[in-house]
Amino acid sequence: MPDTYEKLLEDTIEIDAPTDKVWSLVTDVPRMAKWSPQVVRSTVKGGVVREGATFTNLNKQGFKRWPTGGKVVRMNAPSATTPGEFAFRIRENHTVWSFHLEPTATGGTRLTERRETPDGISKLSLMLTKVVLGGQDGFTKELQDGIRQTLERIKAEAEGV
């Protein structure tokens, strides 16, 4: 089975809210189910989100459900003039998901969500994606669409819409 997958998925949105407000949303791992169409539930071990913290997710696709484990690998809060980043690595497939926050000249935030594969994707995850989740192309499209939906929902929350 060839390891054919997109090495980088990302999208960006402009939010009319300061970076500290957006930061408080993207680092609230238990609330991610409110924004991400794939996440059913997230639970942080010990309840505190910090670099090194671990968490479990319950994910979904239609009626299918599966657990994953994550670990916060970068947590650099933004300021009014410097960007910030929140990133976590998924144990089962080795992907790194991140949110990059940049302050804009108007006092808002440019938010980018990324899924990167610096160490590839595990063979088990590639096989399960092929057999259970509809194949790499379809699942990649779902992930890309999910990134857009997540960003739009975070924007609506941050702007109070």
Side-chain angles (χ1 to χ4, degrees), residues 30-117:
R31 289 183 64 199
M32 196 51 66
K34 183 175 182 177
W35 305 303
S36 171
Q38 188 180 74
V39 178
V40 174
R41 177 178 59 250
S42 296
T43 306
V44 179
K45 185 176 181 181
V48 178
V49 178
R50 58 177 168 66
E51 194 163 327
T54 59
F55 58 93
T56 57
N57 287 325
L58 180 61
N59 301 304
K60 68 179 178 179
Q61 181 194 60
F63 67 90
K64 297 172 241 173
R65 302 287 187 268
W66 68 95
T68 57
K71 181 177 183 177
V72 177
V73 294
R74 289 186 300 276
M75 192 164 179
N76 306 306
S79 73
T81 57
T82 60
E85 179 184 37
F86 176 68
F88 52 90
R89 183 180 187 89
I90 301 299
R91 179 180 57 236
E92 291 76 10
N93 62 17
H94 313 300
T95 60
V96 175
W97 288 83
S98 62
F99 290 95
H100 298 264
L101 299 85
E102 297 175 58
T104 64
T106 60
T109 306
R110 181 174 301 104
L111 179 63
T112 300
E113 183 179 3
R114 290 187 177 116
R115 191 223 53 191
E116 300 172 87
T117 58

Side-chain angles (χ1 to χ4, degrees), residues 11-43:
D11 201 347
T12 300
I13 199 163
E14 299 282 330
I15 300 175
D16 188 20
T19 55
D20 61 334
K21 183 172 188 178
V22 178
W23 176 256
S24 71
L25 297 176
V26 301
T27 60
D28 191 346
V29 173
R31 289 183 64 199
M32 196 51 66
K34 183 175 182 177
W35 305 303
S36 171
Q38 188 180 74
V39 178
V40 174
R41 177 178 59 250
S42 296
T43 306

